[in-house]
Each structure stands twice: as structure tokens, then as C-alpha cells.
Amino acid sequence: MESYLEERFGGVQAKNSSEEALRRWRRLCSVVKNPKRRFRFTANLEKRGEAEAIKHANHEKLRVAVLVSKAALQFIQGLSLRSEYVVPEEVKAAGFQICADELGSIVEGHDSKKLIIHGGVDGIAEKLSTSKTDGLSTDEDSIKRRQDIYGVNKFTESEVRSFWVFVWEALQDTTLIILAVCAFVSLVVGIAMEGWPKGAHDGLGIVASILLVVFVTAASDYRQSLQFKDLDKEKKKIQVQVTRNGFRQRLSIYDLLPGDVVHLAIGDQVPADGLFISGFSLLINESSLTGESEPVAVNADNPFLLSGTKVQDGSCKMLVTTVGMRTQWGKLMATLSEGGDDETPLQVKLNGVATIIGQIGLFFAVITFIVLSQGLFSKKYHEGLLLSWSGDEALELLEHFAIAVTIVVVAVPEGLPLAVTLSLAFAMKKMMNDKALVRHLAACETMGSATTICSDKTGTLTTNHMAVVKACICGNIKEVNGPQNASKLCSELPEIVVKTLLESIFNNTGGEVVFNQDGKYQILGTPTETALLEFALALGGDFKSKRDETKIVKVEPFNSTKKRMSVILELPGGGRRAHCKGASEIVLAACDKFIDDTGSVHPLDKTTADKLNGIIDSFAGEALRTLCLAYREMEEGFSILDHIPSQGYTCIGVVGIKDPVRPGVRESVATCQAAGIMVRMVTGDNINTAKAIARECGILTEEGIAIEGPEFREKSLDELLKLVPKIQVMARSSPLDKHTLVKHLRTTFNDVVAVTGDGTNDAPALHEADIGLAMGIAGTEVRISHIH
């Protein structure tokens, strides 16, 4: 049976199956049972083709738009451009100066000429009655008028189908139609021969059986459709950071309106069409729309952002212009069916088994009909009356045929694959209640077979609430866990050192200190950024005033390759200064000077470097995440188009950030190990910190190996085959390292590998590796999409 399934259905995978394999699969399954029901919650191949055609059209449109805008920009400077656009009366009456269709044509067509005619981004913001700094007003009347004119950021969804639609679908089953014909013939012949009601007993019995099957099937399918609707609602709970009324806040993407100011960072999906306001090093991955893998640089010259694309690098503020079905992503979504995923591995096997059983049942139904009818046909043949049939003989033959058809109906377990789909959906919903977001049903199905778990550290094994607890500044190590200790440290440091430290933390950050409506400050950003900003505030720093003192002219955001973040500041007295922070050993290696306890700058000799490296190791040995902060004075003639220098920095200090292990993690790891599941830690953190946390969790044992990503990359294939089974901790790893580890475990050692990640720290770089299983760790929000 297994070999037969592999031979006939082997081309159908849980993901990335070829269209030819899926079409062949549907043809084979449709022989026996109702394909309309069987493939309701799987990929709609016709709609998929339409979506591909739209992607191709988008690609061509964007290519032409970019070429046209480049050509237009060469001669529009200095020309007197006139607008023939007339604002519709209803838009004027609502207090706006531009309609939704005009906004859509500007962004979708990358129409630089129209954008300039309307006054650029500033002009669009003014016509939308919004502010680029304070965002929209939250006045209810204003929001309602904006929704009426521009719509809401929701896609048109298929209506909830009524119970009777499912009844109609169930009636389209081939075998039920055959039985219905049998029932009709039986009623006609029976009533004609024996009269009413005696002659209708058999026919009405078949009708009752058909109705019972249809209504039970329809009720099951209807409940299942409602379950999937609830599931979709849970999966769509996505929030973004938005500025409204001058306050930065979290908002559902479905509440966005044209005129909103949205803050985007690495890993975010653009939630609506819009225009670039400000930002640094912004690269957008438009492959979801255009199919092009090369990222597009978005800046003031090319300010167009399309919904559905992803931020690959950098950060920005975006002015929302078009929402909902008017966006390119909305038009693409309109072609996709409700259930777009391919069959899961278990569904493929169960459908295959159902098909085989159906074919066997069909064979035996034919045999049964022949055996039951051969006596009657033999008798008629010997009597020479093959063409002459009485009513009783016709009823007898019809009864034999009904029995044969019933065998087919009973033999095919059509409800089994659908029942599996329903149970997976329930499992998915239950995991969501445990804060485990499952993106694909296949993960729920195969998680019980996992033999290896590769877990991220920050936010998954740890609490994800970081705080600076130790700092080495000017060569002195101080405990700083608490405002009093921080104030004491501040009083002991030279003023110039404190000033430089605060300048580094407040400017070289992806986070922000904002004030809410109650006047209380709130820190937004990743846990690491939050910890550093809390530390700077405890030192007595003022985020806004420190930001106002200097001007940020260039930013290179943190990513998993560089392991550091850098900015260049324009100083109030003239000149420029670069600040850098990141993985301690990497940033320290870029330094050639350090600040002593008097605030003086000295060359970084080997003795001092060894001392600082020893401090980093001691911090890491205490399970602290370490960050090094450094700065560099920039020479005259540096252009902001150049890359920020990677060497020549002055070390300001090293901070140690504590992220405690979650309660119950050690027990969860022990449970997994007792069940024969190997738990491995795969993190971007320092190897000593990773080893300390791994030992605390019970992951790293005496037989296990801890290795860094760069060292792992240099190993040959033969070395990897010996090394991979023993790896329990991989530190300083890139997404490629994680993917390589999973690939070797899956293909070479036949492991079913689950990878967990919380998506809040370095996870924006983990798109390809964000696959896996929640380990029952209470309180963590684990992202799950696939299991290999």
C-alpha cells in the first residue's frame, strides 16, 4: 500500500508541489467521490493561475512605471506642470482635496509626475488633512468621513455560505445521484406494480438514506466552515506602530486609513499602499508582487511603497495613501480562494487510501451486482425472454443495483480526510489560545512526529524582558540593576563620558521613548533596545533633548550579518561623529582606542584589549547578553553616500543585559528529552551567554557541542556529518546557518525538525528558518509555520 501511494501520489508534497502533480491528484481522486467537497479547503489551481498572471502584470507595470518615472524626472525639473485633476464634490464636502482613485494611480503607477503636480509627499499629506509628524486626528466624525471616502483596510471576503449551499454540494456526489435515480425508478415501478403505499416502501427507504447522508455531511461541512472562519480571524490579528494625535501607538492593520503615519522596521510587511516620509537604508522585497528577488531601494526619489511587500533592511515612516481592495495586494487577494494551501502529508495519504479503497469497493460492487444478477439473467436467457421483463423482475434487478451502489457509498471513507482537516483546525485554534501562532495546518499535523527541536533563546527560552544589570565603562565594572545604582554610576563617571554614552544610546537605536495621553513615557522597540534606553533614562538622560542636540544623517540598521548598528550624527558645533553598537567581540575588534577613568582617550593596546575581552567573557559566563558601544570622529570630506566605516572606533564601554529563563523551561526540556526529542539552542547571541543559558535550561550536556555560526560555515561536508548530531548550542548564527543545520538534520539524519522563534528580537532575519513547534512554554508567543 505504501509503495503504491508513493508511486501514484509521491509528487504531491505538503508544500511546493508542481501544478501538474496537483492536477493529476485531483483527477485520480475525482473518480470515486465528490471532488467539490474533498478539495474545498485546498489550493484552487485556477485561482492560483490568475494570481500568477496578476503578479506578472504587476511586474510589467512596475517595470514600465520605473522606466517612465526615471525618464520623466530628467526633464520635469523647471517645467511648469499643470494639473487637469478635478476634485470630486463629495471629497471636497468631506474636507479632503484628493480622491481615492487619484491616490491609487499615483502609487500603483509609480507616477512621479503626478506626485510632483500634487506637491510631493507634503502636498499629499495636506490634501489628506493629516500631519507627517502627528498623524491623523482621532476625532470620531473625522475618522468616519475618511472611511466613507477612502474605504477601510480590509479585503473583500467570501460571504459565509448558508447551510443549504452545503446541502446542495453534498447532493452532487456521483454515487448519491445514482442512488437517487434508483430511488426514483423504484418508486415509479413499485407504485405501478403494487400501488401506494406498499409499492413505495423500498424507494422511500433509499430516499431517507440519501437525505440522512446528505444532511449529516452538510452539517459537518457547515460546522467546519465556521471553524475555518474563526481560524482566519485569529490569524489576522496583526498590529503595526502608528502615530495618531502626536502619540505613537499600536493599531490593527485593519484600522489603518489614508493619512495614517506608519512606522516600519526590518521584517515588517507593508500593510497598505503609501509614500515614504523619512527613513534610513530602506530596502523593500517586492517578490510577493513582482516575482523579482532583488530588493528595491525606497527613498525620497523613489517614495512608492506597495502593500504586501516586506521591509528587507532599514526603517522608515510611511504615509498611507490607499487601503483595502484598491491596493495592488487587495487586487491580488481578490483572485485567491479562501483555502490556498496545498494538501498536508497526512491528507495526501488519507485521500490516497480513500481513493484506493473506493476503487476496490467499486470493483467488488460490480462483482456483487454480477453475482446477484447472474441467476436472473441466466433464467431469462434459457427462457428466451431477455427482452421481456415483468415489474417484479425489474424491481429485483434494481434492488441488486442499489445494493452494489450502497457498497460503494459505504466503502469509501470520504469523511476521513475532512475529519482530519477539522481536527487540525481545532488543534491550530487551541495552540493559538496558548499563544502559539500556527501559520500552516501541516505544522499541527507533524509536530507529534518531531525528533529534534531547534529553539531560539531570547523570548522563547527566556522571559524577553531585558534589563542592563552590569556595565564596564572607563574600565570599571559596576552593578547597575536599579535606578539608585545607575545614579551612583553616573556620579562616578566624568561628565564627557556620560554625555558621549547618552548620545550613543539615544541616537544609535531602533527604539523610541514616547509619551502617551496620560503624560507617562513609554519605550517602544525590541527588548534589547528597551533595556538600553531604560539604562540611559536611569542615568538621567532626556531622550528628546538629546535627539534635538544632533541630527542623524545616516543609519545602517542592525542585521544578522553585521551583528551591529551604526549611525552618523551632525554635531551642533560642526563636524560629524559615528556611533556603533552591537556584538561585543565584533565591535571591540573594530576599536583602536578606549576611554580611561579620567575621560581621556588612549590607544587600545593588547593588555587593555585582553582585559576588556576577559570582562566580556565574564559577563557572558553569568548568562548576560553583552553589547559594546563605540564612537568615531569622522574626517572632512566624508559623504553620506559612503558606507559607515567599520574600523577606527573608540570604545565607550560594555553593558551586560540580563534576560531570565522562563519558569518551567527546564521541565519542558526534560520532558522533551525523556520523550526522545533532542532540544538544541540556535541563537544569534554570544557563545558564552548561550552556553550559560543552555546549561541552565538543561539543553547543553557533557557530550554536547557548542559552536559558533562562522566556525560551522567553514566545516566540510564530512566534518558536518560527524559534527551535526552532537551540536546542542549554535551561537552567533545567521539564518543561513540555521537553515543549513535544519537541512542536514532532515535530509541526512531523517529527523523531523521543529524550530521555534518569538519573532520579537533578531527574528526579522529568520523568515526562512521560522518553522516549528511550541514546546509548551507558558506565556511565550511562538511563531510556527512549517515543520521539516
Side-chain angles (χ1 to χ4, degrees):
M1 179 73 79
E2 188 71 28
S3 61
Y4 180 83
L5 286 171
E6 184 63 31
E7 178 186 344
R8 302 296 294 274
F9 310 118
V12 184
Q13 305 298 327
K15 57 180 180 176
N16 301 326
S17 298
S18 69
E19 186 170 327
E20 187 278 328
L22 291 173
R23 289 190 183 280
R24 176 168 54 87
W25 161 238
R26 280 154 175 70
R27 283 197 302 271
L28 286 167
C29 287
S30 63
V31 171
V32 181
K33 275 288 182 178
N34 188 349
K36 195 162 187 177
R37 288 188 61 238
R38 176 165 291 184
F39 297 109
R40 181 186 297 125
F41 293 106
T42 54
N44 186 319
L45 300 183
E46 282 68 30
K47 295 278 180 118
R48 179 183 284 183
E50 290 178 31
E52 287 299 323
I54 289 183
K55 278 187 183 181
H56 180 71
N58 284 342
H59 180 201
E60 287 304 308
K61 272 198 256 180
L62 288 173
R63 186 177 66 82
V64 171
V66 170
L67 291 174
V68 169
S69 62
K70 282 181 179 177
L73 284 171
Q74 293 177 6
F75 61 84
I76 60 176
Q77 296 296 334
L79 292 179
S80 177
L81 297 174
R82 292 186 303 107
S83 173
E84 298 178 359
Y85 172 68
V86 178
V87 184
E89 288 301 322
E90 64 271 17
V91 175
K92 279 185 182 178
F96 309 112
Q97 297 300 315
I98 190 168
C99 69
D101 292 335
E102 182 74 358
L103 283 169
S105 67
I106 291 172
V107 178
E108 183 182 332
H110 285 48
D111 198 328
S112 302
K113 184 178 176 181
K114 269 189 184 178
L115 182 60
I116 291 172
I117 289 171
H118 285 289
V121 179
D122 291 322
I124 295 290
E126 186 179 340
K127 292 182 178 185
L128 281 171
S129 301
T130 187
S131 165
K132 293 198 304 180
T133 54
D134 295 340
L136 295 181
S137 164
T138 52
D139 175 60
E140 285 188 19
D141 183 55
S142 171
I143 294 291
K144 180 70 170 61
R145 282 187 284 111
R146 199 174 292 269
Q147 288 175 342
D148 292 340
I149 296 297
Y150 299 109
V152 293
N153 196 32
K154 292 181 180 177
F155 303 129
T156 303
E157 297 181 357
S158 55
E159 295 181 4
V160 178
R161 295 187 293 179
S162 71
F163 173 73
W164 299 107
V165 173
F166 290 95
V167 170
W168 174 248
E169 282 188 0
L171 280 169
Q172 294 181 46
D173 190 287
T174 308
T175 49
L176 291 181
I177 292 171
I178 294 172
L179 279 177
V181 172
C182 291
F184 177 75
V185 174
S186 177
L187 281 170
V188 171
V189 175
I191 293 172
M193 295 296 298
E194 300 182 37
W196 178 270
K198 186 177 180 182
H201 288 169
D202 291 341
L204 290 177
I206 298 174
V207 170
S209 301
I210 292 171
L211 291 176
L212 181 63
V213 169
V214 165
F215 278 98
V216 168
T217 302
S220 173
D221 290 350
Y222 181 62
R223 286 199 306 270
Q224 187 179 8
S225 72
L226 295 179
Q227 176 68 22
F228 271 90
K229 282 289 180 187
D230 291 341
L231 197 62
D232 284 339
K233 287 178 185 176
E234 291 288 340
K235 290 167 75 175
K236 290 174 181 175
K237 289 180 179 177
I238 305 168
Q239 292 191 321
V240 289
Q241 290 190 13
V242 178
T243 296
R244 281 191 177 180
N245 269 358
F247 298 104
R248 193 160 160 178
Q249 55 196 278
R250 286 195 168 275
L251 201 68
S252 167
I253 62 170
Y254 300 105
D255 292 331
L256 290 179
L257 292 168
D260 264 320
V261 175
V262 178
H263 301 260
L264 299 174
I266 296 177
D268 288 342
Q269 181 166 309
V270 181
D273 287 358
L275 295 168
F276 175 90
I277 297 175
S278 62
F280 301 97
S281 308
L282 186 64
L283 289 178
I284 298 292
N285 183 343
E286 295 184 345
S287 59
S288 58
L289 282 178
T290 67
E292 290 292 315
S293 58
E294 200 65 30
V296 176
V298 176
N299 46 45
D301 296 327
N302 176 35
F304 307 105
L305 290 155
L306 297 174
S307 66
T309 58
K310 283 189 177 179
V311 180
Q312 185 166 314
D313 201 358
S315 58
C316 78
K317 283 202 302 183
M318 178 188 89
L319 176 68
V320 176
T321 58
T322 317
V323 294
M325 297 305 294
R326 288 190 173 95
T327 65
Q328 272 296 312
W329 188 250
K331 292 172 184 175
L332 183 64
M333 290 296 291
T335 68
L336 299 178
S337 57
E338 177 184 303
D341 293 334
D342 292 338
E343 292 79 5
T344 68
L346 183 59
Q347 285 173 317
V348 168
K349 288 194 174 184
L350 288 177
N351 275 319
V353 169
T355 302
I356 293 169
I357 293 174
Q359 291 170 345
I360 294 171
L362 187 61
F363 172 76
F364 280 103
V366 173
I367 296 297
T368 302
F369 178 73
I370 292 171
V371 170
L372 290 174
S373 305
Q374 64 88 23
L376 180 60
F377 275 99
S378 177
K379 177 184 173 185
K380 298 290 289 181
Y381 176 76
H382 288 302
E383 293 176 355
L385 298 174
L386 272 176
L387 299 177
S388 176
W389 291 75
S390 67
D392 290 338
E393 290 170 338
L395 278 175
E396 185 181 351
L397 185 64
L398 187 63
E399 186 180 341
H400 296 164
F401 183 73
I403 290 171
V405 174
T406 305
I407 290 174
V408 176
V409 175
V410 174
V412 181
E414 188 201 24
L416 186 58
L418 290 174
V420 169
T421 306
L422 185 60
S423 64
L424 292 178
F426 273 113
M428 206 167 173
K429 187 75 180 291
K430 189 175 180 182
M431 291 187 71
M432 283 179 179
N433 294 335
D434 293 332
K435 298 187 179 179
L437 176 56
V438 184
R439 294 195 185 115
H440 298 276
L441 287 177
C444 288
E445 173 194 308
T446 50
M447 68 176 64
S449 305
T451 56
T452 293
I453 295 173
C454 294
S455 174
D456 183 30
K457 178 179 75 66
T458 307
T460 305
L461 299 175
T462 57
T463 60
N464 205 26
H465 183 76
M466 291 185 164
V468 176
V469 294
K470 271 191 175 183
C472 172
I473 301 171
C474 298
N476 298 317
I477 301 175
K478 297 290 183 181
E479 296 276 349
V480 291
N481 53 338
Q484 291 182 341
N485 288 338
S487 299
K488 184 180 178 183
L489 172 65
C490 183
S491 64
E492 295 173 357
L493 294 173
E495 185 180 346
I496 184 66
V497 176
V498 175
K499 181 181 177 182
T500 307
L501 179 63
L502 294 177
E503 183 181 89
S504 177
I505 294 175
F506 284 142
N507 287 285
N508 189 22
T509 180
E512 192 171 350
V513 180
V514 298
F515 288 88
N516 56 27
Q517 287 92 330
D518 301 327
K520 297 179 181 178
Y521 77 80
Q522 179 184 4
I523 302 175
L524 301 172
T526 65
T528 305
E529 299 283 13
T530 302
L532 278 175
L533 290 171
E534 282 179 348
F535 173 55
L537 292 172
L539 289 174
D542 185 314
F543 180 84
K544 190 174 186 307
S545 63
K546 210 67 182 173
R547 275 289 183 93
D548 292 341
E549 285 178 12
T550 57
K551 179 184 176 184
I552 299 174
V553 295
K554 187 176 178 68
V555 176
E556 287 184 1
F558 176 89
N559 66 39
S560 59
T561 304
K562 296 181 295 186
K563 301 287 185 189
R564 64 183 185 184
M565 175 182 183
S566 305
V567 299
I568 291 182
L569 306 179
E570 204 167 85
L571 303 176
R576 289 173 175 171
R577 179 179 294 160
H579 282 279
C580 175
K581 77 164 182 217
S584 298
E585 60 272 27
I586 293 174
V587 175
L588 186 60
C591 295
D592 56 15
K593 294 181 281 295
F594 75 100
I595 303 177
D596 67 6
D597 53 5
T598 65
S600 303
V601 177
H602 298 280
L604 182 64
D605 54 25
K606 188 176 185 305
T607 304
T608 308
D610 289 343
K611 178 186 175 183
L612 288 172
N613 277 312
I615 290 170
I616 292 169
D617 289 342
S618 68
F619 280 13
E622 297 174 36
L624 302 182
R625 166 172 280 190
T626 62
L627 290 175
C628 183
L629 293 89
Y631 76 95
R632 166 184 167 150
E633 302 295 346
M634 301 303 297
E635 304 84 5
E636 290 289 334
F638 174 80
S639 170
I640 60 171
L641 299 176
D642 299 332
H643 285 291
I644 298 177
S646 58
Q647 296 292 327
Y649 286 87
T650 301
C651 179
I652 301 171
V654 177
V655 295
I657 301 174
K658 181 75 172 178
D659 187 12
V661 173
R662 286 184 183 277
V665 166
R666 189 177 182 89
E667 291 77 9
S668 294
V669 171
T671 302
C672 291
Q673 291 170 339
I677 300 171
M678 168 72 83
V679 182
R680 309 172 199 266
M681 179 192 289
V682 187
T683 178
D685 214 338
N686 178 286
I687 189 165
N688 294 315
T689 307
K691 283 160 64 173
I693 294 289
R695 288 194 184 98
E696 192 175 342
C697 296
I699 292 173
L700 184 59
T701 62
E702 293 181 3
E703 299 81 23
I705 293 175
I707 190 171
E708 288 188 317
E711 183 185 348
F712 177 77
R713 266 172 255 151
E714 294 172 359
K715 300 293 182 183
S716 66
L717 182 60
D718 291 337
E719 289 175 318
L720 284 176
L721 293 178
K722 296 176 184 176
L723 188 68
V724 165
K726 299 178 183 178
I727 292 177
Q728 292 178 342
V729 175
M730 184 186 285
R732 289 280 174 253
S733 58
S734 69
L736 184 61
D737 298 329
K738 301 175 185 186
H739 220 47
T740 303
L741 178 63
V742 170
K743 180 182 175 183
H744 279 296
L745 288 168
R746 183 171 61 89
T747 57
T748 309
F749 302 99
N750 296 320
D751 281 348
V752 178
V753 185
V755 182
T756 68
D758 68 340
T760 60
N761 196 33
D762 57 351
L766 309 186
H767 300 309
E768 295 302 322
D770 185 18
I771 48 184
L773 169 71
M775 300 193 319
I777 303 168
T780 183
E781 184 172 330
V782 183
R783 305 278 173 186
I784 301 175
S785 60
H786 295 99
I787 292 187
H788 285 279

